[in-house]
Amino acid sequence: MVFSFTDTVHFPGDAAAAYEFLFRADLWAQRLPHVAQVRLDERPGGVQVLAMSTRTADGATHETRSVRVCQPGEWIAYKQQLTPALLYGHSGVWTVQQESAGALVSSRHTVALDRERVATVLGPGTSLAEARDQVRLTLGRNSRATMEFAADHVRRQRA
């Protein structure tokens, strides 16, 4: 099962500040409560390799590794090379767009569920629809939290 979704948050500052927060993933463990640990390697041409340990709602952690391609000030596209157990594949893009009263920051995810792992990860009898809803909830919550913490970070810097 493959599906996509997008979350968008209004950002109080300019698009450049939003982009900078997303780009500086090396600071996410200090800035985001759902990120336990980060390792970010910069490569030429706007490429980053991001290894991250993320906290789940129950306090457990899972590891991911992504390659990110960055277009300064506009977007960061990524492909996870190491995904959580329930996902067969996960890619996405962060975008920032300047508006007259701030910026719009969006996070788009495209996910492929690993059908064979649904019962193992979420329990026997869990339907694909329930698995999809759980993945949507979890990824969306983390993305919105990242965007909202970025907005709060900028507000604090302005004060």
Side-chain angles (χ1 to χ4, degrees), residues 15-16 19-20 23 70-76 95-98:
Y19 180 87
E20 182 67 17
F23 180 78
C70 306
Q71 178 62 43
E74 296 180 30
W75 50 262
I76 299 171
T95 59
V96 295
Q97 181 179 5
Q98 190 64 51

Side-chain angles (χ1 to χ4, degrees), residues 75-159:
W75 50 262
I76 299 171
Y78 62 89
K79 167 80 171 85
Q80 280 190 338
Q81 297 176 314
L82 176 63
T83 61
L86 189 56
L87 304 183
Y88 185 69
H90 178 204
S91 62
V93 63
W94 298 95
T95 59
V96 295
Q97 181 179 5
Q98 190 64 51
E99 293 193 320
S100 58
L104 286 182
V105 182
S106 295
S107 174
R108 179 165 177 77
H109 298 268
T110 299
V111 176
L113 288 179
D114 185 342
R115 295 172 187 250
E116 296 176 12
R117 302 284 321 255
V118 170
T120 304
V121 174
L122 297 178
T126 303
S127 70
L128 281 177
E130 291 170 319
R132 173 190 163 125
D133 291 347
Q134 181 63 40
V135 168
R136 168 62 174 107
L137 175 73
T138 301
L139 291 177
R141 180 177 48 232
N142 286 348
S143 292
R144 285 188 308 279
T146 299
M147 294 183 287
E148 290 165 2
F149 272 94
D152 289 343
H153 177 76
V154 168
R155 282 187 198 102
R156 285 191 309 273
Q157 285 186 326
R158 289 174 150 180

Side-chain angles (χ1 to χ4, degrees), residues 35-51:
V35 176
Q37 189 174 18
V38 169
R39 189 178 71 248
L40 183 70
D41 296 320
E42 300 273 348
R43 306 286 168 85
V47 175
Q48 298 176 328
V49 178
L50 173 64

